[in-house]
Amino acid sequence: MATTSALSSLSSLSLHTPTSRLTSSRPTISFSFLKRPTTLPLKATSSSDQSETIFFEDQNPEITANAVFDPPSPPEGFVPAPYFDEGADETEAEIATAYEELYGPAYSGESMLGKDVNVMDSKMKKGGGGIGGQKPKKEKIRDGFEERVVQVRRVTKVVKGGKQLKFRAIVVVGDKQGNVGVGCAKAKEVVAAVQKSAIDARRNIVQVPMTKYLTFPHRSEGDYGAAKVMLRPASPGTGVIAGGAVRIVLEMAGVENALGKQLGSNNALNNARATLAAVQQMRQFKDVALERGIPMEELWK
């Protein structure tokens, strides 16, 4: 009787477990490494407290000596990649080329003034490069366009520290085959201002309509700012009768017979741009006939 009462008391104690241990929603897993018979290498037991116990065969599980490594066979036509130390060594030229691609031109061991940086090299001074010599000249752009400078003026900009002096250049470029452009730019030097103006003029090329007598197809007028330009066609042999920037623009466009007149402002830049505005309003006879859907002979009826 005493033993039964003791067992009942133990069972009652085991049933009344504290609920604080069961608050976690995740099951707790505990591993117990115990000796088990070989017939039962792995056994999992679960209880009502959401805990799982896994038994291993040994305390230190290791891969058995009888295990054989059997990798998958390579596919047909498989070529293994070569090792980094296989193959022929790279030449010095290949190494130098790779170095220049990554880091730029390599240092050759000789400075711009020669092998001795404290001695001025007379050849470099005469050649125009390096310290003490002139700046290398830039080659002109060879694209079939000719350049003509219309005006170069000194301009100043008043800033907080004083006045900044620069040069403004107006350049007209043309191929004398109907294409012409006007550009304007400023720089601290005259040569740089002319080069920048030529680049700006090439960005603003305009097509000039002309007849077979190298004149305009009809009259036109254009204005830009306070400048106004009047253009008229002329008979063969007349030549370009115009002055200032209008004459330069027409000659660079390839016009040989025309009449031009500046009205209003005498500004060279505005007159040159007014000439382009007047030219852009002109249209060829064939374009007008095509828009109207009639032959060219009916335009004069």
Side-chain angles (χ1 to χ4, degrees):
M1 293 295 292
T3 57
T4 56
S5 61
L7 290 174
S8 62
S9 62
L10 288 174
S11 62
S12 62
L13 290 173
S14 61
L15 290 174
H16 295 81
T17 56
T19 58
S20 61
R21 297 179 181 178
L22 303 178
T23 55
S24 175
S25 60
R26 296 183 179 180
T28 58
I29 301 174
S30 60
F31 296 91
S32 301
F33 299 94
L34 301 175
K35 288 287 184 177
R36 287 290 178 182
T38 56
T39 57
L40 298 174
L42 182 63
K43 182 180 180 181
T45 60
S46 61
S47 60
S48 60
D49 58 354
Q50 300 182 2
S51 63
E52 185 177 0
T53 305
I54 300 175
F55 298 94
F56 287 90
E57 183 179 359
D58 196 356
Q59 293 183 359
N60 298 320
E62 297 179 356
I63 300 176
T64 58
N66 297 329
V68 180
F69 177 68
D70 188 13
S73 58
E76 185 177 356
F78 174 75
V79 179
Y83 290 96
F84 68 94
D85 57 348
E86 291 183 355
D89 296 338
E90 295 181 342
T91 61
E92 294 183 359
E94 294 176 350
I95 295 174
T97 303
Y99 182 88
E100 290 183 0
E101 290 179 357
L102 292 175
Y103 306 103
Y107 177 62
S108 61
E110 184 175 354
S111 65
M112 295 180 63
L113 305 180
K115 295 183 179 180
D116 189 358
V117 296
N118 297 320
V119 178
M120 177 65 70
D121 190 359
S122 60
K123 294 183 180 179
M124 295 296 296
K125 187 175 181 180
K126 292 180 180 179
I131 301 174
Q134 300 177 356
K135 293 184 179 180
K137 296 182 179 179
K138 294 184 180 180
E139 296 183 359
K140 292 185 178 180
I141 304 174
R142 299 180 180 178
D143 54 356
F145 285 91
E146 298 182 10
E147 303 174 5
R148 186 177 297 183
V149 180
V150 177
Q151 186 184 70
V152 176
R153 295 180 60 182
R154 291 195 309 171
V155 293
T156 57
K157 179 181 179 181
V158 180
V159 295
K160 184 177 180 181
K163 295 182 179 179
Q164 292 182 355
L165 176 64
K166 291 187 178 182
F167 294 93
R168 187 192 74 170
I170 304 172
V171 177
V172 178
V173 299
D175 58 355
K176 295 185 177 181
Q177 295 180 1
N179 298 315
V180 66
V182 177
C184 177
K186 302 173 187 176
K188 293 183 179 181
E189 297 180 0
V190 177
V191 178
V194 172
Q195 292 177 353
K196 291 172 64 176
S197 300
I199 295 174
D200 182 58
R202 285 178 169 84
R203 294 172 180 169
N204 303 294
I205 299 296
V206 173
Q207 182 73 27
V208 179
M210 292 187 296
T211 63
K212 62 180 180 179
Y213 302 109
L214 299 178
T215 186
F216 300 126
H218 58 85
R219 299 182 177 186
S220 178
E221 294 180 0
D223 57 348
Y224 189 91
K228 186 176 181 180
V229 173
M230 178 179 60
L231 300 179
R232 298 288 185 268
S235 59
T238 305
V240 178
I241 301 178
V246 180
R247 182 186 185 88
I248 297 176
V249 172
L250 297 181
E251 287 180 352
M252 297 302 292
V255 179
E256 295 183 0
N257 304 298
L259 304 175
K261 179 66 176 177
Q262 297 180 5
L263 303 175
S265 175
N266 209 19
N267 186 283
L269 180 59
N270 286 354
N271 278 289
R273 289 177 174 174
T275 305
L276 296 183
V279 164
Q280 288 178 322
Q281 296 178 6
M282 296 181 182
R283 297 161 61 186
Q284 293 281 15
F285 294 120
K286 59 180 180 181
D287 297 334
V288 177
L290 184 63
E291 290 180 3
R292 297 182 183 180
I294 58 176
M296 290 182 57
E297 293 76 8
E298 295 185 7
L299 290 176
W300 290 273
K301 290 183 180 179

